Amino acid sequence: MSLLFYRRPDYVAKLPGPMEKSQCQIYVDRTQKHKKSIPPELSFDNILQNKALPPCALQDFMDYLVYVSHDAENLQFWIWLNAYSSRFYALPPSEQALSPPWSAVEGLQSTGNNPSRPPRTAEKSKFGAEIDFEHPSTGPGAAQPLQADNQSFISGITSSTKNVSESVEDANAQVGLKWQSFSIQPFRSEIDRVISHYIAPDSPRELNLSHKTRTVVLHALQHTTHPSAFSLVRELVEDTLRGQSHPNFVRWSICNGNKPKVVFVRNLGIAHVVLGILLAVILILSRASRWWRLFCFPLLFLGFSTGVAAYKGLCLVIHTGHSRNLRPWEQFGSSATLDSFDTDNEAGISKDGIYSMSNLSGSGKRGISMDTFGTGNSYNHEPWVADYEKKPLLQKLYPKNIWIQDETIRLLQDRIVCQSHLWSLLASVPLTVAIVVVPRVAVV
């Protein structure tokens, strides 16, 4: 990666409408452009396997999708499907035989569409990760079995069987499926809950699927609980996560300041440049020696350097300690309160006043974002939203900082800061020379 011309991953905007193969292919093509901007240590597979450290850990990725991108259901479904595949293939062969594999062609033919490709049992995804629907999931991002029995791996969020069954029946009725699923198949109750949470229209964590895709998936799930029944949805979700969510998350994680801080620092850089130019104009119009105009250089250099770094989401002052602002939801989380930040004897606070991630992470998750089943991903009801709105602007500009644990993020930030200094030199030195050589203008 070039020091002078390094760029963060470009922001990838969401495409309008539901997830389709043609649209997700655009994400795939754009992902190829981000390979040089995203180091291997911050790859999608490493983050999903939780090999990266904060602020690029799996929980940070989930927080970004919940609070910033507003599409956490894709990652929640992806994590569940990997875990479900591992648990399904851990079953005895006699139980697996009750749910035979499902092919994409079979689903398209049964819904009246022309097949576009042969059945797939083990194929290579566009990103090089092999997805095997006949054998246990061993590719990147595969989860380990979480439960050995046939019962669904369901979190503490409760919902009655009646509500789940009604939701499944309504979803099947909307796509013209009227007969009941095979109840003797393994994990049938869990599949029903997945349908009621992710597949059915108006479900709490509804995936952005088209009517055609939803029809194919529901038809497959009526026949089997084999993981291959989700093959079409899995491909769409993978393309979206890898090609759109992951590059945007890495781009966001490189920033060390919250939005109010970055906007303030950016305007501060512009103010320094303006002051430098005003000082130059005053000195040119005065009778002072032209060498006094060299004092414009510090203002111009500091302004350009601060502005370029802030344009890329970095505050130079915060960067000196390789730290970042706490996100709004981290400031008011159940495991990190404002009182704990102000306690001198708090174990999580270091001598330099930077908060430790060990105290922030608590149980490893905030709310229910890492749970498979639960309410929707809306966060407007969370207490921190109202508390953050009540905070004075000065406290929003100067929140508590936390040390950046991931070394790769620190190196990328160092590269961006060096880059901002180099660009500042290239801009301020010629401008200062031009200011010095300008003839004195006599004021009549």
Side-chain angles (χ1 to χ4, degrees):
M1 289 181 287
S2 171
L3 178 62
L4 190 59
F5 298 101
Y6 170 74
R7 293 179 56 185
R8 291 183 300 163
D10 294 331
Y11 177 77
V12 182
K14 293 181 182 179
L15 297 175
M19 292 185 293
E20 295 283 359
K21 290 183 181 180
S22 58
Q23 292 181 334
C24 290
Q25 182 61 40
I26 298 178
Y27 292 147
V28 175
D29 297 336
R30 290 177 178 175
T31 301
Q32 307 305 319
K33 302 178 182 179
H34 299 145
K35 286 186 175 180
K36 295 182 179 180
S37 301
I38 301 178
E41 294 81 1
L42 300 179
S43 66
F44 176 78
D45 299 320
N46 277 357
I47 292 177
L48 262 290
Q49 294 172 5
N50 213 20
K51 293 182 178 179
L53 296 175
C56 287
L58 178 59
Q59 177 64 62
D60 298 301
F61 191 19
M62 183 67 76
D63 286 345
Y64 169 79
L65 296 178
V66 172
Y67 298 116
V68 181
S69 184
H70 309 304
D71 52 2
E73 61 276 359
N74 291 328
L75 182 57
Q76 291 162 342
F77 175 80
W78 174 268
I79 293 174
W80 169 82
L81 184 56
N82 280 322
Y84 175 76
S85 299
S86 298
R87 289 182 290 114
F88 182 90
Y89 294 119
L91 293 174
S94 58
E95 294 190 35
Q96 292 188 37
L98 298 175
S99 294
W102 185 263
S103 68
V105 166
E106 190 175 358
L108 291 173
Q109 288 176 339
S110 60
T111 54
N113 295 297
N114 293 325
S116 58
R117 62 181 181 181
R120 63 179 192 171
T121 56
E123 68 175 50
K124 199 95 166 179
S125 73
K126 303 180 185 68
F127 300 94
E130 184 172 327
I131 303 175
D132 193 340
F133 295 105
E134 294 290 348
H135 302 89
S137 178
T138 57
Q144 298 300 320
L146 301 181
Q147 197 167 336
D149 60 350
N150 291 5
Q151 301 301 318
S152 56
F153 123 85
I154 297 174
S155 60
I157 303 299
T158 59
S159 66
S160 65
T161 305
K162 179 180 179 181
N163 290 337
V164 172
S165 61
E166 287 180 351
S167 178
V168 174
E169 290 177 2
D170 291 342
N172 290 334
Q174 291 187 30
V175 297
L177 303 176
K178 300 181 180 180
W179 51 279
Q180 297 293 326
S181 306
F182 299 112
S183 59
I184 62 172
Q185 292 176 333
F187 301 111
R188 172 53 65 183
S189 60
E190 180 174 352
I191 292 299
D192 288 344
R193 296 203 67 180
V194 169
I195 293 175
S196 66
H197 276 78
Y198 295 96
I199 308 298
D202 301 322
S203 53
R205 299 176 179 179
E206 180 184 359
L207 297 173
N208 190 20
L209 304 176
S210 65
H211 179 75
K212 175 182 175 181
T213 302
R214 183 178 289 108
T215 301
V216 172
V217 173
L218 288 175
H219 188 89
L221 293 176
Q222 272 206 332
H223 287 79
T224 182
T225 59
H226 194 278
S228 59
F230 293 100
S231 59
L232 181 56
V233 180
R234 178 169 188 159
E235 182 179 355
L236 297 176
V237 169
E238 178 189 12
D239 290 351
T240 303
L241 285 174
R242 289 182 180 267
Q244 195 259 344
S245 301
H246 173 246
N248 289 346
F249 168 66
V250 174
R251 174 187 174 91
W252 176 79
S253 299
I254 293 175
C255 303
N256 65 1
N258 292 332
K259 185 176 181 179
K261 184 76 169 186
V262 172
V263 172
F264 172 75
V265 173
R266 189 179 303 172
N267 291 332
L268 190 63
I270 296 174
H272 277 81
V273 174
V274 172
L275 287 176
I277 295 175
L278 286 177
L279 179 60
V281 172
I282 294 174
L283 293 175
I284 290 173
L285 296 178
S286 69
R287 295 184 178 182
S289 170
R290 67 175 64 233
W291 301 113
W292 285 98
R293 304 175 194 175
L294 291 175
F295 284 98
C296 299
F297 176 78
L299 289 173
L300 294 175
F301 177 81
L302 184 60
F304 283 123
S305 183
T306 301
V308 172
Y311 176 75
K312 298 189 177 182
L314 293 182
C315 173
L316 295 180
V317 176
I318 301 177
H319 176 73
T320 57
H322 279 127
S323 57
R324 65 171 177 87
N325 290 159
L326 283 172
R327 314 298 185 192
W329 53 89
E330 295 173 336
Q331 299 174 27
F332 300 93
S334 58
S335 58
T337 64
L338 288 181
D339 294 336
S340 67
F341 292 127
D342 297 332
T343 303
D344 293 335
N345 296 328
E346 182 65 47
I349 296 189
S350 60
K351 295 181 180 180
D352 55 3
I354 298 178
Y355 199 71
S356 169
M357 177 60 73
S358 60
N359 190 44
L360 176 67
S361 59
S363 61
K365 61 181 180 179
R366 282 178 285 275
I368 60 173
S369 60
M370 296 299 289
D371 291 339
T372 301
F373 304 107
T375 57
N377 292 314
S378 174
Y379 58 87
N380 293 328
H381 64 282
E382 296 184 11
W384 71 265
V385 177
D387 294 337
Y388 185 75
E389 291 296 329
K390 297 176 183 178
K391 288 186 66 174
L393 178 60
L394 190 62
Q395 292 186 17
K396 292 182 179 179
L397 291 176
Y398 296 97
K400 295 291 183 178
N401 295 331
I402 186 171
W403 184 62
I404 296 174
Q405 296 187 35
D406 194 273
E407 182 181 3
T408 304
I409 289 291
R410 298 199 301 267
L411 293 175
L412 290 180
Q413 291 178 343
D414 291 341
R415 186 181 296 272
I416 291 175
V417 170
C418 291
Q419 183 185 63
S420 66
H421 292 334
L422 289 175
W423 281 112
S424 181
L425 282 174
L426 293 177
S428 55
V429 169
L431 186 57
T432 303
V433 172
I435 291 173
V436 171
V437 301
V438 169
R440 182 187 303 170
V441 178
V443 178
V444 180

